[in-house]
């Protein structure tokens, strides 16, 4: 549990190994927002959460009378309520590009992660191969800037990094085939915000 700050009474219902919850914890840590973080089991959410969120899904953020679910909606709210540092670019074209990239990250990579986490053995094997190949094929994207397609940390990094942290857990080793991606991973994992975002269970996912 993280201490509650004077200006915030927010509560995050989080899954200790849930990549979507990890995205929110990363945004909180990078923005220096303190909140009560309650790790709850995904398959046995407390009654109070079921009353706040009709889907009973994690993550769920409660800020006074407001209960929010859906990772993207929570991230957008946090970015608007706590604007510094901003996680979205300012101009409309860059904002649209960031949203599109986020969509691709979720459609192309998070769907494969879902197969790895709870698919059949065959689906997980297919997803492992596809995710590895797709990440390696994207190596050039990680040469563009220090952060993903950006000079500053953004919502795209906050989505990508929790997924990348989980690769060894699912038997994915990028090897030497994607040097820019590997360098990006090292930079991002070394950030204080990232280290603070990890639950104890996530910390054990890598040695
Ligand atoms: N679309 C949701 C997906 C989140 C999600 O799949 N969370 C999982 C835990 S990692 C969950 O709560 N599963 C149980 C459920 O959806 O009822 C979001 O973006 O927040």
């Amino acid at each position: 549990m993280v201490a509650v700050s004077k200006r915030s009474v927010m509560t995050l219902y989080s899954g200790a190994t849930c990549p979507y919850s990890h995205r929110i914890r990363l945004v909180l840590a990078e923005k220096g927002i303190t909140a009560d973080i309650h790790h709850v089991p995904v398959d046995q959410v407390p009654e109070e959460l079921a009353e706040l969120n009709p889907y009973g899904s994690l993550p769920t953020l409660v800020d006074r009378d407001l209960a929010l679910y859906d990772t993207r909606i929570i991230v957008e709210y946090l970015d608007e309520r706590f604007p510094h540092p901003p996680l979205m670019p300012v101009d409309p074209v860059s904002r649209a590009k960031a949203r599109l990239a986020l969509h691709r990250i979720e459609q192309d990579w998070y769907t494969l992660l879902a197969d790895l986490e709870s698919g059949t053995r065959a689906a997980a094997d297919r997803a492992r191969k596809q995710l590895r190949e797709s990440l390696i094929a994207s190596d050039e994207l990680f040469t563009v800037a220090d952060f993903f397609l950006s000079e500053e940390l953004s919502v795209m990094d906050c989505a990508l990094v929790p997924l990348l942290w989980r690769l060894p857990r699912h038997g994915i080793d990028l090897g030497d085939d994607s040097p820019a991606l590997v360098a990006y991973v090292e930079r991002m994992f070394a950030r204080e915000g990232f280290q603070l975002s990890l639950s104890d269970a996530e910390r054990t996912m890598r040695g």
Side-chain angles (χ1 to χ4, degrees):
M1 187 177 292
V2 178
V4 185
S5 77
K6 283 182 192 132
R7 65 174 180 159
S8 173
V9 289
M10 289 195 299
T11 299
L12 176 69
Y13 291 91
S14 156
T17 61
C18 165
Y20 297 93
S21 301
H22 193 181
R23 285 165 62 174
I24 304 302
R25 284 184 266 116
L26 183 52
V27 169
L28 291 172
E30 287 287 353
K31 283 180 173 281
I33 306 166
T34 49
D36 272 326
I37 297 181
H38 292 288
H39 292 305
V40 299
V42 177
D43 51 0
Q44 218 184 335
V45 296
E47 207 169 295
E48 80 222 43
L49 174 59
E51 283 167 16
L52 293 163
N53 171 349
Y55 305 104
S57 59
L58 301 169
T60 296
L61 182 81
V62 182
D63 188 9
R64 297 190 179 89
D65 293 340
L66 179 69
L68 291 176
Y69 37 88
D70 187 280
T71 305
R72 276 210 241 177
I73 290 173
I74 299 173
V75 170
E76 280 189 19
Y77 174 73
L78 290 173
D79 202 33
E80 288 171 4
R81 180 157 181 225
F82 302 91
H84 300 289
L87 294 177
M88 278 293 277
V90 176
D91 70 283
V93 171
S94 305
R95 286 170 80 83
K97 284 184 179 169
R99 289 195 177 104
L100 202 54
L102 207 50
H103 179 74
R104 293 289 308 269
I105 290 167
E106 289 179 352
Q107 281 298 116
D108 299 356
W109 292 339
Y110 265 82
T111 48
L112 295 174
L113 183 64
D115 282 346
L116 282 164
E117 302 215 320
S118 52
T120 61
R121 178 79 184 267
D125 286 345
R126 257 196 319 275
R128 183 173 300 108
K129 184 170 183 298
Q130 270 183 36
L131 183 55
R132 183 175 186 277
E133 286 175 2
S134 178
L135 287 170
I136 288 171
S138 307
D139 193 60
E140 211 176 315
L141 298 179
F142 294 88
T143 62
V144 174
D146 274 358
F147 297 95
F148 186 65
L149 302 176
S150 168
E151 297 301 336
E152 309 288 343
L153 182 84
S154 82
V155 289
M156 299 179 279
D157 303 294
C158 293
L160 254 182
V161 179
L163 178 138
L164 296 170
W165 180 256
R166 286 160 171 75
L167 296 182
R169 179 190 196 207
H170 297 299
I172 298 179
D173 176 12
L174 296 170
D176 300 327
D177 297 327
S178 47
L181 173 54
V182 168
Y184 167 83
V185 159
E186 282 169 12
R187 281 196 305 279
M188 297 303 294
F189 291 172
R191 290 177 70 83
E192 190 188 7
F194 180 75
Q195 289 298 321
L196 289 171
S197 75
L198 291 166
S199 67
D200 290 345
E202 283 161 349
R203 221 170 271 287
T204 65
M205 288 177 183
R206 287 182 178 241

